Amino acid sequence: PNKKVNLIRLNVDSHKALVSKYQVTAIPTFKVVNSEGIVLFEVIGGGKTRVDRCIDKVKELFDEFK
């Protein structure tokens, strides 16, 4: 199957409606959202450990949908 991931960087000052819709309360916030707009998981805050956790979770999700 073809797997596709879109990474989007969002300026919270310019996209207040999306910030509100997805309840972004801290910067940085990493959210994985499916094609229907449902948040599958999120990681709030920066740092290598949190970013690595986000990447690992994306890999797990792809494995689930094989």
Side-chain angles (χ1 to χ4, degrees):
N2 187 5
K3 298 176 183 176
K4 183 177 179 182
V5 174
N6 292 318
L7 301 176
I8 300 169
R9 180 178 177 187
L10 182 71
N11 181 320
V12 296
D13 294 323
S14 300
H15 296 89
K16 294 181 189 277
L18 286 174
V19 169
S20 177
K21 176 180 179 177
Y22 289 104
Q23 301 174 351
V24 175
T25 59
I27 299 172
T29 296
F30 303 92
K31 294 188 182 250
V32 173
V33 181
N34 69 11
S35 60
E36 288 88 36
I38 297 169
V39 176
L40 302 177
F41 78 94
E42 67 179 14
V43 176
I44 298 171
K48 183 175 178 353
T49 302
R50 289 190 172 132
V51 172
D52 287 345
R53 186 176 352 145
C54 185
I55 292 167
D56 290 343
K57 187 63 178 173
V58 168
K59 289 177 182 176
E60 288 174 24
L61 288 170
F62 274 122
D63 287 342
E64 289 177 20
F65 294 109
K66 281 186 176 178

